[in-house]
């Protein structure tokens, strides 16, 4: 009887097939693809799994600024295993802003249950809500923006009953319904002037449509849109005729880093937008800004008959924008890719290192311009996930990598999409209580 | 032996009533419930008020997919509440069956209402905590007991059993649950048996489902007149009053477009339906996503939802089945942009949508059955508002 545990243990050990490994010169087929990526120093550890679901073990070594991950994977049934060549992950000493802010929302249609603006510390896996829609009577919270990544200043919209635009400056929080001031236009996409005094908003009348067949299940478009300017010192809002033309739709404002010009996208207004959506191509324009005023005439920066521009973001002499075949909402367009423009030469090239076969869209630069974060649907075609990539300042991006989670599977199991990723230089904290009070809760 | 009479009677009564009179109510709770072992699900669970009872009730409800298990769980909970309450009272020297029986049947009412399983679980958990605390009490030196306590305690059990069996609200919930499940799976004969014209007359919300079943059997043209159809909305459920009707109309539209073969619009409505559910999605919506993305040849998304369902206890066979199907299936290629820009979009007008679908090759028998009736009802409505 006393030998029973020993016998059971021996039988158990014999029942497990011990894997026998053969060496392979190739890298392991892992998801997500972290092979040869450049990561910032101090970032949370990457996690991955075998694309074919095999069990595996990792041995991590370091040589200089390169980490090597050697993967041994085996077949549970046959016990045949493969020891793959160690794959490199390069560590860059270019600093990165320590936090990311984004919205988490079901990638659905007109409605939602829970959504919120969240922040994630890059050195750890810690994520917490900045504000959720619980605080705003279940309405929508969207289009957050931090000027220069400053966590103490923030703007976002809270839609729905009693809603408006919430401005945070230090400890002060105020709610302004932009439709009740100035030209009575609501704010949509914000762009905070580098001085911190002005905010440009696009004001969009946005609708959705649902194609009856095909792989694209949602199309979003504007019926009209303008750009308005808010002066935060006086809380006044101004619409400039050249940026609010009825015959044109101006949207996606973005300031030049020196604040002397505003870039934005513009397309001619079209009757029967849904039917003609394939013909709508947004161009990139700019207008000068001096002493709190837009001056001069808008000038075309980039125009194409085959590419519709959205989300221009300037980083020194480089501008990154999303290009899609048509329209104004690239996240539902599988062909949407990121494009890099050399603003000195006007040359535009697809940022091939960043792009995938699926949607690659909303992006933002880190405060030092050495990193970019963008949203991509390359994992499953529906749920947007965040990718980061290194930028060398000379027009070259490193291979992008998926924002690491404690376990890669979290990306599969999460039923929400990441929207509007922005780098932040510190933890913006939690505003739920304060925002609730603004909404009389 | 005597002390087990009431628990046994209680168990038998709750099990039989739940299993025989509320099987669809139980199944529907699983359909619209969700228990996943995922990081986000746990974060959400602990963020809600009374997290433990929420977690326990969500965990138990996943077994309701088989109404026998559901009925067993309900019976076990009620008996457990009875035993715990009796145990607590005994520690105070009160030897009674009546009070615990009363509490147990109140709990049964909550379980039968289906909308409040969390309340019942909270009560059981509180009783359990109280019972643990009562163990710290010294054994009573004196005890009190009533003669005839047991027969008296049987009265509330039998009364509540009778009330639940005969209660119109419970019956309506059961009927509506049955209709939902029949509509989701296209069990048209059973749906028509559940909603004959007389039932549709007293519960107009069910009329569109009965008409959907008729069109599923291609009998709408012949039999529509037997149902109380006064306006187009009785057929297609476009307008709604309040959140409950909105919830129902989204489910109806999801089913309708699924059977019309317009999977994009079905997915749209299932997503919308999910946002109206307590957790923003549910087992049935996740399973429906697996099925619809499988039908669309989008195996990447199908696999995503399979993997999510793999993090529950009761969906293993289901997931294995669809993975095996997908392994043999044909992958759908993404639509090229030039072609995509020309694809017509759905509208809020059901008549327009039916014509659009017919023009675009969705020429199903159901569509052929519904189109002329929709046209007639539209014409009728237009004429009725003319002076």
């Amino acid at each position: 009887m006393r030998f029973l545990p020993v016998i059971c243990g021996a039988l158990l050990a014999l029942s497990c097939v011990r894997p026998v490994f053969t060496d392979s010169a190739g890298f392991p087929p892992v998801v997500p693809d972290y092979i040869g990526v450049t990561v910032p120093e101090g970032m949370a550890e990457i996690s991955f799994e075998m694309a074919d679901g095999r069990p595996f073990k990792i041995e991590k070594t370091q040589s200089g600024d390169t980490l090597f991950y050697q993967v041994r994977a085996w077949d549970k049934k046959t016990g045949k295993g493969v020891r793959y060549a160690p794959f490199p992950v390069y560590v860059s000493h270019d600093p990165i802003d320590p936090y990311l802010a984004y919205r988490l929302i079901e990638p659905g249609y007109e409605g939602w249950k829970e959504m919120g603006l969240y922040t994630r510390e890059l050195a750890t896996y810690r994520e917490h809500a900045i504000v959720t829609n619980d605080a705003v009577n279940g309405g929508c919270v969207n289009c957050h923006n931090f000027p220069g990544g400053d966590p103490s200043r923030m703007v976002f919209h809270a839609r729905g009953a009693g809603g408006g635009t919430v401005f945070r400056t230090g400890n002060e929080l105020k709610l302004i319904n932009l439709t009740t001031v100035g030209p009575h236009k609501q704010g949509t996409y914000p762009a905070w002037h580098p001085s911190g005094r002005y905010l440009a908003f696009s004001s969009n009348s946005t609708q959705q449509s649902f194609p009856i067949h095909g792989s694209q299940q949602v199309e979003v478009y504007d019926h009209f849109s303008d750009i308005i300017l808010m002066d935060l010192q006086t809380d006044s809002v101004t619409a400039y005729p050249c940026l609010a033309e009825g015959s044109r739709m101006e949207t996606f404002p973005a300031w030049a880093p020196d604040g002397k010009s505003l870039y934005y996208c513009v397309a001619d207004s079209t009757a029967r937008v849904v039917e003609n959506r394939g013909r709508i191509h947004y161009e990139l324009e700019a207008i000068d800004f001096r002493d709190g005023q837009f001056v001069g005439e808008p000038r075309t920066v980039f125009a194409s008959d085959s590419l519709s521009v959205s989300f221009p973001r300037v980083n020194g002499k480089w501008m990154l924008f999303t290009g899609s075949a048509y329209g104004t909402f690239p996240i539902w367009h599988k062909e949407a890719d990121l494009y890099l423009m050399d603003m000195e030469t006007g040359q535009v090239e697809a940022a091939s290192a960043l792009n995938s076969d699926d949607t690659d869209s909303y992006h933002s630069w880190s405060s030092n311009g050495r990193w970019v974060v963008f949203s991509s649907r390359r994992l499953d075609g529906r749920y947007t996930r965040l990718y980061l990539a290194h930028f060398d300042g000379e027009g070259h991006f490193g291979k992008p990598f998926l924002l690491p989670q404690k376990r890669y599977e979290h990306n599969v199991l999460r039923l929400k999409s990441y929207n509007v990723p922005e780098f932040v230089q510190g933890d913006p904290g939690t505003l739920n209580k304060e925002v609730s009070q603004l909404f009389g809760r | 032996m005597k002390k087990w009479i009431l628990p046994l009677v209680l168990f038998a009564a709750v099990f039989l009533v739940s299993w025989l009179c509320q099987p669809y109510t139980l199944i529907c709770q699983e359909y619209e419930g969700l228990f996943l072992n995922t990081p986000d699900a746990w974060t959400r669970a602990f963020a809600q008020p009374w997290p433990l009872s929420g977690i326990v009730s969500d965990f138990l409800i996943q077994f309701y997919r088989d109404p026998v298990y559901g009925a067993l769980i309900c019976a076990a909970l009620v008996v457990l509440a009875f035993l715990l309450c009796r145990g607590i009272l005994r520690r105070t020297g009160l030897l009674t069956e009546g009070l615990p029986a009363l509490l147990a049947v109140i709990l049964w009412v909550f379980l039968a209402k289906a909308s409040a399983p969390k309340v019942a679980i909270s009560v059981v958990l509180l009783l359990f905590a109280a019972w643990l605390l009562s163990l710290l009490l010294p054994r009573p030196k004196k005890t009190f007991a009533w003669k005839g306590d047991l027969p008296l305690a049987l009265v509330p059990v039998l009364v509540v059993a009778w009330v639940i069996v005969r209660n119109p609200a419970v019956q309506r919930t059961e009927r509506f649950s049955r209709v939902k499940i029949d509509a989701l799976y296209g069990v048209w004969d059973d749906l028509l048996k559940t909603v004959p014209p007389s039932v549709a007359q007293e519960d107009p919300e069910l009329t569109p489902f009965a008409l959907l079943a008729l069109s599923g059997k291609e009998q709408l043209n012949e039999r529509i007149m037997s149902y109380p159809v006064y306006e187009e909305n009785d057929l297609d459920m476009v307008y709604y009053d309040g959140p409950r009707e909105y919830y129902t109309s989204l489910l109806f539209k999801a089913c309708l477009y699924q059977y019309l073969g317009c999977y994009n619009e079905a997915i749209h409505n299932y997503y919308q339906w999910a946002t109206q559910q307590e957790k923003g999605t549910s087992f049935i919506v996740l399973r429906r996503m697996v099925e619809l993305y499988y039908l669309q040849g989008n195996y990447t998304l199908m696999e995503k939802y399979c993997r999510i369902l793999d993090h529950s206890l009761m969906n293993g066979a289901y997931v294995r089945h669809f993975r095996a199907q997908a392994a043999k299936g044909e992958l759908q290629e993404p639509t090229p942009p030039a072609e995509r820009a020309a694809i017509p979009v759905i509208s809020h007008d059901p008549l327009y949508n039916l014509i659009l679908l017919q023009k675009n090759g969705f020429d199903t028998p159901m569509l052929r059955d519904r189109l002329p009736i929709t046209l007639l009802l539209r014409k009728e409505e237009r004429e009725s508002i003319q002076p």
Side-chain angles (χ1 to χ4, degrees), chain B residues 234-245:
Chain B
D234 294 326
L235 177 69
D236 47 40
M237 227 174 182
V238 170
Y239 305 107
Y240 43 82
D241 293 317
R244 189 190 141 88
E245 282 81 1

Side-chain angles (χ1 to χ4, degrees), chain B residues 111 197 207 261 303:
Chain B
L111 285 169
T207 306
E303 174 55 27

Side-chain angles (χ1 to χ4, degrees), chain B residues 9 62 97 125-126 134 138 159 204 227 251 259-261 265 280 302 310 315 349 354 356:
Chain B
V9 169
Q62 68 181 323
E97 306 273 293
L125 290 175
L126 285 174
S134 75
V159 166
Y227 278 86
L251 169 66
Y259 296 120
L260 288 172
E265 188 55 9
M302 189 209 85
D310 244 352
N315 290 287
D349 181 348
L354 289 177
L356 192 72

